């Protein structure tokens, strides 16, 4: 099971990073806080102060096509917001 899927690089997440030293990640929905903490510490070499997890529910989407009215839903996912200890940062662009 791959615990970390990808970092969330949105405007809202970057404001959290700048003001509160928090980083957001999309994670496997079966992972718990201890597994997420060890995976981030191992991958980025940082010390974590706190973790908050959120299950984001999928949005209902619909569109009108030639075949008629099509409705569906985006998939739900789990998000982890990680607070690092003072003076530590994560550089997402270093390993590209």
């Amino acid at each position: 099971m791959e615990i970390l899927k990808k970092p969330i690089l949105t405007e809202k997440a970057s404001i959290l990073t700048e003001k509160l030293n928090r980083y957001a990640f999309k994670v496997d929905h079966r992972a718990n806080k201890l597994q997420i903490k060890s995976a981030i510490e191992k991958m980025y070499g940082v010390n974590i102060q706190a973790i908050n997890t959120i299950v984001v529910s999928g949005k209902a989407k619909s569109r009108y096509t030639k075949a008629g009215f099509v409705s569906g839903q985006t998939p739900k996912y789990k998000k982890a917001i990680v607070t690092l200890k003072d003076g530590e940062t994560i550089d997402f662009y270093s390993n590209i």
Side-chain angles (χ1 to χ4, degrees), residues 7-9 13 16-18 20-25 40 46 52 79-84 88-92:
I8 298 174
L9 303 172
L16 275 177
T17 301
E18 290 166 13
L20 301 170
N21 200 24
R22 292 183 177 176
Y23 294 86
F25 293 91
I40 292 172
V46 291
N52 299 86
K79 179 165 56 172
I81 297 176
V82 177
T83 307
L84 298 183
E88 297 199 18
T89 58
I90 294 175
D91 187 12
F92 293 126

Side-chain angles (χ1 to χ4, degrees), residues 35-55:
Q35 292 170 328
I36 295 167
K37 180 179 180 179
S38 65
I40 292 172
E41 285 179 344
K42 185 177 169 187
M43 185 172 221
Y44 295 104
V46 291
N47 293 317
I48 293 175
Q49 186 175 339
I51 293 182
N52 299 86
T53 57
I54 306 152
V55 176

